[in-house]
Amino acid sequence: MTEWPKGVAKPAIRALNAVGYTRLEQLEKVDLSTLKKLHGMGPKALAAIEAALEESREHSE
């Protein structure tokens, strides 16, 4: 298992793992509206993922 950002609860992590996402980096090209449709993915988890991806992009520039 990998480290997900703080705010991503276990149900959201299980939903991500169920569709094959095991690392935050895998979500860089995924539309957040797609993730929103996953059972277990709530607004807090989406916000945490979005913030972590934004931070990751800032550090890679």
Side-chain angles (χ1 to χ4, degrees):
M1 193 160 101
T2 187
E3 288 289 319
W4 289 98
K6 186 175 181 175
V8 180
K10 289 182 182 180
I13 293 170
R14 285 192 297 270
L16 291 165
N17 290 337
V19 293
Y21 298 122
T22 58
R23 298 185 325 272
L24 181 65
E25 300 81 35
Q26 293 174 301
L27 303 179
E28 289 176 356
K29 305 273 191 230
V30 177
D31 189 66
L32 292 180
S33 65
T34 302
L35 297 181
K36 188 177 182 178
K37 296 175 185 174
L38 298 177
H39 180 74
M41 187 65 62
K44 286 184 182 179
L46 287 170
I49 289 169
E50 187 173 23
L53 288 172
E54 187 64 34
E55 185 177 321
S56 175
R57 286 185 205 109
E58 289 174 5
H59 284 94
S60 66
E61 291 178 355

